[in-house]
Amino acid sequence: PRNCEVVGLPAYSFKGVKTEFTITTKDDNGDHCTRGGSLVSVELEGAADTTQVTDNMDGSYVACFVPQEVGEVKLLVLVDGEHIKGSPYSVLVRDYRLLNKPIKLLNNNGGMVGPWGIAVSRNDILAVTDFSKHGVYMFDKDDRLVTTFGRKGSGKGELDVPAGVAFDAHDHVYVADYDNNRIQ
């Protein structure tokens, strides 16, 4: 179990929404197992049983869970009764309804023309890129426009067709600045 790995586990999930990831089993030498049959289990610490594991019979297992509460949860992954490398994992569970709010915001507030990328911070701040206006709009959880930044250009803090947007674990914002071929 110490050599087994989790692949594709997101840093966050959404309440009531199924999240899938893969567990790859390896032997004591670190070689990939080519057969199934290991006892693989997944558990959300302190939560009702909302997990499932499917044996692909090739040494890999597809696991899924459906978190029922918002907040940080511990995900335990065990193979043959032992924690695998990195287990338990921390997963931040967010309220799925926050993703429906930007639709209203984009149509009613802020005068956005070309909304493209969207991200939700750990503090429920929504960031939306506008590729036509070359900026980023940030909204709080009560639908209020908090701030905007960016303008057309290639200098520091300037954007040219901002596409994707993401937050890191410290809520720093990163913008994929498409036509400037960079991340800011």
Side-chain angles (χ1 to χ4, degrees):
R2 68 176 185 270
N3 293 321
C4 298
E5 297 178 325
V6 165
V7 179
L9 178 65
Y12 62 89
S13 184
F14 294 99
K15 177 182 174 182
V17 177
K18 182 168 81 169
T19 302
E20 281 190 0
F21 61 96
T22 302
I23 301 159
T24 57
T25 55
K26 297 185 177 184
D27 63 21
D28 289 337
N29 296 324
D31 296 324
H32 181 75
C33 294
T34 57
R35 292 191 306 238
S38 294
L39 178 60
V40 176
S41 63
V42 174
E43 177 186 332
L44 287 178
E45 193 170 72
D49 186 26
T50 57
T51 62
Q52 181 180 348
V53 177
T54 303
D55 188 344
N56 292 330
M57 302 308 289
D58 63 358
S60 70
Y61 300 77
V62 175
C64 66
F65 62 95
V66 181
Q68 300 301 313
E69 299 296 326
V70 172
E72 192 165 341
V73 297
K74 297 292 183 193
L75 179 71
L76 290 70
V77 180
L78 296 97
V79 173
D80 296 329
E82 295 181 35
H83 284 276
I84 70 167
K85 178 175 55 178
S87 177
Y89 298 90
S90 289
V91 178
L92 181 63
V93 180
R94 295 197 164 115
D95 190 342
Y96 182 76
R97 292 172 296 167
L98 287 174
L99 293 181
N100 293 327
K101 288 187 177 185
I103 304 302
K104 294 175 186 170
L105 294 169
L106 301 180
N107 293 332
N108 298 327
N109 296 326
M112 298 183 80
V113 177
W116 191 267
I118 183 169
V120 182
S121 77
R122 292 179 73 91
N123 294 317
D124 296 330
I125 297 294
L126 303 172
V128 183
T129 60
D130 186 327
F131 71 87
S132 293
K133 288 193 170 182
H134 308 284
V136 178
Y137 292 70
M138 298 183 73
F139 301 92
D140 68 15
K141 64 182 177 182
D142 295 318
D143 300 346
R144 292 184 296 250
L145 181 64
V146 175
T147 190
T148 63
F149 62 89
R151 64 177 184 198
K152 186 169 176 57
S154 59
K156 184 176 180 180
E158 296 178 328
L159 304 166
D160 194 358
V161 186
V165 62
F167 289 95
D168 67 13
H170 304 288
D171 282 348
H172 298 120
V173 180
Y174 295 87
V175 180
D177 190 4
Y178 185 79
D179 279 354
N180 283 325
N181 298 309
R182 64 184 179 184
I183 304 292
Q184 287 202 81

